[in-house]
Amino acid sequence: MAYKISEDCIACGACAPECPVEAITEGDGVYVIDAEKCIDCGACADNCPVGAPKAE
Ligand code: SF4
Ligand code: SF4
């Protein structure tokens, strides 16, 4: 399991510093989560203004 950022992402950057394992990086237009690093903690979803990160 890992979280995945949907196309709803507005690239605000709020989630990246909240990730304890630095799994979130800025991608092409949206931020992306490295599924290999994600530990499914939910911090990104909690800090996203548009609810873009979703548990897969
Ligand atoms: Fe990082 Fe947690 Fe979000 Fe996974 S669920 S990307 S570990 S903040
Ligand atoms: Fe995108 Fe939400 Fe992260 Fe902002 S907090 S970069 S909108 S996923």
Side-chain angles (χ1 to χ4, degrees):
M1 285 279 287
Y3 273 64
K4 187 173 182 188
I5 295 173
S6 78
E7 292 178 357
D8 294 337
C9 174
I10 56 172
C12 72
C15 55
E18 302 299 330
C19 179
V21 294
E22 299 183 354
I24 306 173
T25 54
E26 188 172 7
D28 186 13
V30 296
Y31 274 59
V32 291
I33 293 170
D34 183 342
E36 298 285 316
K37 290 184 182 173
C38 178
I39 57 170
D40 222 17
C41 72
C44 51
D46 291 344
N47 287 281
C48 178
V50 296
K54 310 227 190 278
E56 290 253 301

